[in-house]
Amino acid sequence: MLRFIIKKAAVVVLLISGITFITFLLINMLPGDPAEGLVGQHAKPEDLQRIRASLGVDKPFIVQYAGYVALVFKGNLGRSYYSNRDVLDEILRKLPNTLTLAASAVFLATVLGTVLGFVAGLNTGKFADKLLSTLSLAGMSMPVFWSGLILMLVLSLKLKLLPPSGTGGLKFLILPAITLSLPVISGIAGITRASVVETLDMPFVKVLKAKGLTPFRINFIHILKNILIPVITVIGLDFASFLNGAVLTETIFGWDGIGRFTVDGILKRDYPVVLGCIITGTFIFVFINAAVDIIYRYVDPRIRVS
């Protein structure tokens, strides 16, 4: 297991290094000038040149990249062009909000998706299965921005039940968490249903029935335990994707997290902010995937043997 963890750690470092280089390259290829973004297009050429020099964007690409990598290895993600605040401090300040939103969405998606998929799997071909499968398909088909706006229109503007935007307590969290979880509820429900259907045909289930175990014991102990492996994998991947995919949700609901911070950085051409957010999101995504792989080996003894 130690050897496996070391290999995973090496893969994490390689992936982050590669993504950092590609991101830095793409940002440098984007049109626009950070100096013009700061002082406007009508500023004097000498002023623009002075600002570019102060930001370091007038240097060759490889020099800029090497300087940035040296900063990252020191645990420094640079300073915002606009606020002059430390990017890492800003990310750490906003990260709890994004983690809270992602964890809430994962909780909703896991509970509802597993329950719906489990019920559909136990009632394959019946009305409940068809109804839940239709709802799952509808949930997966709805874009996040559309479902978010619909929820905001109905629950906030019409019924006045929840605030339309902002960051704060539970009442501010409900709408963005539901919006973010909707597509994943459908995904988890579909995987759970397929796992239940597959497990029901396995020989050990027939043996359990022959032994006279009650349907409750067979379904909620043996079958539920057996379907956890694919569900755990999906939950782990979805939690990572929630952190990186919360951009639209945070922007729609004015949630003060990393996603909204990234969008603001892109609109202002604030490159250190964009790079810092992408590196942080990549690290979390890769780290969680590696953790899921390790947990997977513990949960399924067949993988350890192979």
Side-chain angles (χ1 to χ4, degrees), residues 11 26 43 63 71 87 92 101 138 160 168-169 183 212 238 248 257-258 260 278 280 293 299 303-304:
V11 171
L26 292 176
V63 176
L71 273 180
V87 172
L92 292 177
L101 175 59
K160 310 289 184 186
D238 283 337
L248 278 176
I258 293 180
R260 187 182 170 197
I278 290 176
T280 304
D293 281 349
V299 173
I303 297 176
R304 291 203 300 272

Side-chain angles (χ1 to χ4, degrees), residues 21-296:
F21 176 79
I22 293 172
T23 305
F24 201 89
L25 179 64
L26 292 176
I27 286 179
N28 272 267
M29 291 171 66
L30 288 175
D33 184 352
E36 289 183 359
L38 281 171
V39 297
Q41 297 180 350
H42 303 293
K44 295 179 180 177
E46 55 270 25
D47 291 335
L48 290 173
Q49 187 57 39
R50 179 176 51 79
I51 293 173
R52 291 189 192 106
S54 67
L55 298 178
V57 295
D58 61 334
K59 299 175 183 174
F61 167 77
I62 194 64
V63 176
Q64 292 184 48
Y65 179 68
Y68 187 75
V69 170
L71 273 180
V72 172
F73 272 105
K74 294 176 184 175
N76 189 342
L77 296 179
R79 305 188 77 83
S80 166
Y81 289 164
Y82 282 81
S83 65
N84 198 33
R85 292 175 180 169
D86 188 273
V87 172
L88 182 58
D89 289 344
E90 287 291 291
I91 289 175
L92 292 177
R93 187 174 68 81
K94 297 174 185 296
L95 184 60
N97 290 334
T98 298
L99 289 175
T100 301
L101 175 59
S104 303
V106 166
F107 176 76
L108 282 175
T110 303
V111 173
L112 295 178
T114 305
V115 171
L116 294 177
F118 199 71
V119 172
L122 293 178
N123 295 277
T124 308
K126 298 180 181 177
F127 174 75
D129 179 29
K130 294 176 181 176
L131 176 63
L132 293 174
S133 298
T134 303
L135 292 176
S136 295
L137 182 61
M140 292 181 71
S141 305
M142 283 193 295
V144 170
F145 68 88
W146 188 81
S147 58
L149 292 176
I150 293 296
L151 289 172
M152 184 188 293
L153 178 66
V154 176
L155 298 178
S156 297
L157 302 181
K158 294 291 183 183
L159 301 179
K160 310 289 184 186
L161 295 176
L162 296 167
S165 64
T167 308
L170 181 61
K171 62 181 180 180
F172 290 95
L173 178 63
I174 294 175
L175 281 183
I178 293 175
T179 302
L180 194 57
S181 67
L182 275 179
V184 186
I185 289 174
S186 306
I188 291 178
I191 290 170
T192 304
R193 178 191 176 280
S195 298
V196 171
V197 172
E198 183 182 358
T199 306
L200 284 172
D201 287 333
M202 288 185 174
F204 82 90
V205 176
K206 297 175 182 175
V207 172
L208 293 175
K209 289 179 180 177
K211 286 183 176 179
L213 269 67
T214 63
F216 179 85
R217 190 175 178 83
I218 295 173
N219 294 336
F220 292 95
I221 296 180
H222 296 282
I223 293 180
L224 186 60
K225 182 181 177 182
N226 204 64
I227 66 170
L228 284 181
I229 293 173
V231 174
I232 288 174
T233 305
V234 172
I235 293 170
L237 295 174
D238 283 337
F239 185 76
S241 65
F242 276 149
L243 294 173
N244 292 323
V247 174
L248 278 176
T249 308
E250 291 184 357
T251 304
I252 291 171
F253 293 100
W255 188 260
D256 190 20
I258 293 180
R260 187 182 170 197
F261 191 42
T262 306
V263 172
D264 289 342
I266 293 172
L267 294 176
K268 295 177 179 176
R269 296 191 184 90
D270 199 343
Y271 297 160
V273 169
V274 179
L275 279 166
C277 291
I278 290 176
I279 289 174
T280 304
T282 302
F283 176 78
I284 293 173
F285 186 87
V286 175
F287 179 79
I288 290 178
N289 276 287
V292 168
D293 281 349
I294 294 170
I295 294 172
Y296 202 92

